[in-house]
Amino acid sequence: MSNTLENTLEQDLEKAFETCIHCGICLSSCPTYVHTGDESQSPRGRIHLSQAVHDGRLPFADLVPALETCLGCMACESACPSQVKYHHVLEAGRLTAHAQGLGRFSVLAQSMQAVLKQDALLSIVTTAMKLGDALGFRRLLQASWMPALIREKTRFWMPLPQERLDVRLTQVDNHAELALHLGCVMKHLMPDVHNACLDVLTAMGFSVTASPLGCCGALASHHGLAKETQACLKENAQAWQASSKTITLSNAGGCGAMLKDYAHLGENLSLQASPSVLAEIAHATEDIHAFIWANNPRLPALALPTQMVVTYQGSCHLTHAQGVTEAPLALLQQVENLTLVPMQNASGCCGSAGIYNLEHPQLAEAIAQEKVDAILATGADVVVVGNPGCLIQLKASLAVYAPTAKIEVLHPIQLLAEAVKACPAQYQSAEQPS
Ligand code: SF4
Ligand code: SF4
C-alpha cells in the first residue's frame, strides 16, 4: 500500500476508535452477532480487535476472521448513537488483509470482479442461462429427486426475464435530462427492472438515457481489492469526463452507495483517477426512489389493476449506507389497490451481501431463513426490495424455504411501473413526450 493510502486509512481508523464509546447499542442490529452470540462477530468486537491490532497488542492475522464474516450491511452505523464510521474500520482492515495476502476470499472476489468487467462474457453467460432454462436444465437440476447438494448449489439460477433492455437504454444520449446507471450484472440479468424505471421516469415527463458509467467496483472495494477498485474508478472517471455529466440515477442500493462514496474513495484511492472528477460523480448520483419522491408532483395517478398485499425489504446499502428509508415506502403508499404491510426487521440484512452466500454459506443460510420467516409472517403476495443482490437472494431463499408460498419478489419501481401502465391513456402519452 502507498504511504498516502496508509495515512488516510490511519486517520479514518483513529477517528472511529475515538468515537466508539463501547456502549454495545449496535449489537442487537448486527446479524452476525445475533446468529453467533460471539462478541468478536459484533461491530463493537471488530472495532475493539482492530484497535488492539493498531496498538500492537494483537497480530493482524487474528483480526482477519472477524472481518471476513462481516456482511458489510452497515446496520451498526444506523444504530450507533455516536455516529461511528464502522465502514472505515472494515475498509482499512480488508485493504490490509488483501495487501498482506491474508484475504481468504480474495481470489474468488478477484475472479468475480474480472467477470463483472467483461460485458461480452456476461452477455454470453446470460444467454446460455436462458437457453439452459428453455431446454429444461434448470428445472432438471432443481427437481426434488436431485441430491440436495445440487439443488442447493443451483438455487441462484433463476428463471431470467425474456424481456430485452429498451432500445433507449442501449446507448448514451448526451441531450437527455437523466442517466440511468445500468451496472454490470443487472444490465444482463434484470433488464425488466431498468425498463420499469424508464417507464416511470418517462411517464413523469423526463428524458432518460443510459449512464456511461460501468461497473461501480463495489465487489472489489468490499473485498479490499485496491487495484481492481482503482481500475473501476479510473474507467468511470474517464467515461464521466467524456459525457454530459447529467444526474445519474441508481436503482441498485449497493451500486448507488458505492458511487456516492466515490468522493471518499477518491481521497483514499486517488492514484489513478482525479479526486475532483470522482467527487463530481458522487454528487451527481441519486437513488431513484428518492429522486422520484422528490419529484412526486410529476407522477401520474397510480393504480394497480388488481388488489395486492405488498411488504418492503430495505436493502442494507439503500437503507444504512445511503440513508434512503422513507421514499420507497412513501411511493408505494400512494398506489391504489396496494396494501403495504410492515415486515419485522425490514431493514435487517437478507444474507446476500455480494458473494457472502458463497463465502459463508451456513451463516448466510441462517440469516436467509430468518428473513423468509419474516416475509411469510406478513401474509404478503409480493415482497419488494431495491437491490439486485437482494432480489436474487430473496427469490432463491423463498424457493428453498417456502417453495409453496408463491410470493413474488420485485423491485419497488416495477410495481410503480405496473401502476402507471394500468392507466393506458396517461402511459401512451408519456411514451411520446412532446
Ligand atoms: S459502534 Fe457505536 S453503538 Fe457500537 S459500541 Fe461503538 S459507539 Fe456503541
Ligand atoms: S456491517 Fe453488519 S455484519 Fe458487519 S458489524 Fe456492522 S451490523 Fe454487523
Side-chain angles (χ1 to χ4, degrees):
M1 270 189 294
S2 74
N3 286 341
T4 324
L5 179 53
E6 279 179 0
N7 290 343
T8 46
L9 290 176
E10 177 74 15
Q11 286 166 16
D12 285 346
L13 272 178
E14 282 177 1
K15 183 104 190 283
F17 297 151
E18 270 167 32
T19 45
C20 179
I21 53 172
H22 310 292
C23 63
I25 288 174
C26 53
L27 298 196
S28 61
S29 62
C30 172
T32 55
Y33 176 74
V34 169
H35 285 277
T36 62
D38 177 355
E39 174 77 21
S40 74
Q41 302 288 312
S42 76
R44 182 174 64 181
R46 291 176 175 120
I47 292 169
H48 182 73
L49 291 172
S50 298
Q51 188 157 18
V53 168
H54 181 260
D55 296 347
R57 290 179 280 116
L58 191 75
F60 181 75
D62 289 2
L63 167 66
V64 175
L67 293 180
E68 281 186 333
T69 53
C70 175
L71 290 144
C73 68
M74 301 307 144
C76 49
E77 287 201 4
S78 292
C80 177
S82 197
Q83 296 181 334
V84 174
K85 301 271 183 240
Y86 169 79
H87 73 278
H88 289 168
V89 176
L90 186 64
E91 186 180 288
R94 288 188 169 170
L95 277 166
T96 310
H98 177 65
Q100 294 189 8
L102 293 169
R104 206 156 48 102
F105 298 109
S106 291
V107 175
L108 179 60
Q110 264 170 322
S111 317
M112 296 288 281
Q113 183 63 51
V115 172
L116 297 184
K117 298 274 307 288
Q118 303 297 324
D119 200 51
L121 180 59
L122 281 174
S123 176
I124 292 168
V125 171
T126 315
T127 307
M129 284 170 78
K130 280 185 186 172
L131 189 64
D133 204 4
L135 295 174
F137 289 144
R138 182 182 59 79
R139 281 184 295 283
L140 182 73
L141 292 170
Q142 294 169 355
S144 54
W145 47 266
M146 268 285 168
L149 186 68
I150 294 182
R151 277 186 282 132
E152 169 58 29
K153 294 295 174 205
T154 57
R155 73 186 161 120
F156 291 101
W157 182 357
M158 298 284 138
L160 294 175
Q162 293 305 316
E163 200 172 322
R164 285 172 171 273
L165 195 63
D166 189 291
V167 69
R168 287 168 289 177
L169 293 175
T170 55
Q171 55 208 354
V172 176
D173 168 6
N174 278 333
H175 301 293
E177 294 164 275
L178 303 171
L180 186 65
H181 181 236
L182 305 179
C184 44
V185 83
M186 196 171 171
K187 182 165 110 184
H188 297 283
L189 291 185
M190 299 175 190
D192 49 344
V193 174
H194 288 324
N195 291 347
C197 294
L198 179 68
D199 287 340
V200 174
L201 293 166
T202 310
M204 295 172 77
F206 290 109
S207 56
V208 187
T209 185
S211 164
L213 304 179
C215 174
C216 63
L219 181 70
S221 173
H222 296 164
H223 283 79
L225 309 179
K227 206 163 65 126
E228 288 79 358
T229 312
Q230 284 166 352
C232 289
L233 265 57
K234 185 184 172 193
E235 282 172 27
N236 281 334
Q238 285 171 344
W240 179 257
Q241 280 180 297
S243 77
S244 58
K245 304 176 181 162
T246 188
I247 295 171
T248 302
L249 297 182
S250 171
N251 54 19
C255 305
M258 178 72 183
L259 293 173
K260 285 181 179 180
D261 203 31
Y262 267 25
H264 168 249
L265 285 166
E267 288 168 20
N268 278 3
L269 302 165
S270 60
L271 313 174
Q272 294 181 29
S274 155
S276 62
V277 176
L278 295 171
E280 266 182 40
I281 296 174
H283 293 136
T285 302
E286 292 189 36
D287 166 61
I288 192 161
H289 308 88
F291 179 85
I292 294 176
W293 182 238
N295 290 279
N296 193 42
R298 292 176 70 154
L299 256 180
L302 300 165
L304 289 172
T306 53
Q307 287 287 342
M308 232 178 245
V309 180
V310 178
T311 194
Y312 174 75
Q313 159 69 17
S315 114
C316 296
H317 283 89
L318 185 60
T319 308
H320 305 299
Q322 294 194 54
V324 176
T325 53
E326 301 301 323
L329 295 169
L331 289 173
L332 294 170
Q333 266 157 356
Q334 59 183 358
V335 179
E336 264 184 59
N337 294 336
L338 188 157
T339 308
L340 194 60
V341 288
M343 186 200 308
Q344 193 180 9
N345 194 21
S347 61
C349 185
C350 64
S352 168
I355 52 174
Y356 194 86
N357 36 39
L358 298 176
E359 297 166 338
H360 307 283
Q362 278 184 326
L363 207 41
E365 263 174 47
I367 295 167
Q369 272 187 35
E370 190 183 35
K371 186 56 69 184
V372 167
D373 290 345
I375 294 169
L376 293 177
T378 64
D381 313 307
V382 179
V383 54
V384 288
V385 62
N387 188 53
C390 311
L391 282 161
I392 293 170
Q393 170 78 350
L394 291 184
K395 282 181 189 177
S397 304
L398 282 163
V400 170
Y401 302 118
T404 56
K406 306 271 181 278
I407 297 174
E408 210 176 348
V409 185
L410 295 172
H411 192 287
I413 307 299
Q414 284 182 290
L415 274 188
L416 284 197
E418 216 175 302
V420 166
K421 286 180 184 175
C423 308
Q426 69 184 24
Y427 181 61
Q428 275 165 17
S429 64
E431 274 188 319
Q432 298 153 355
S434 58

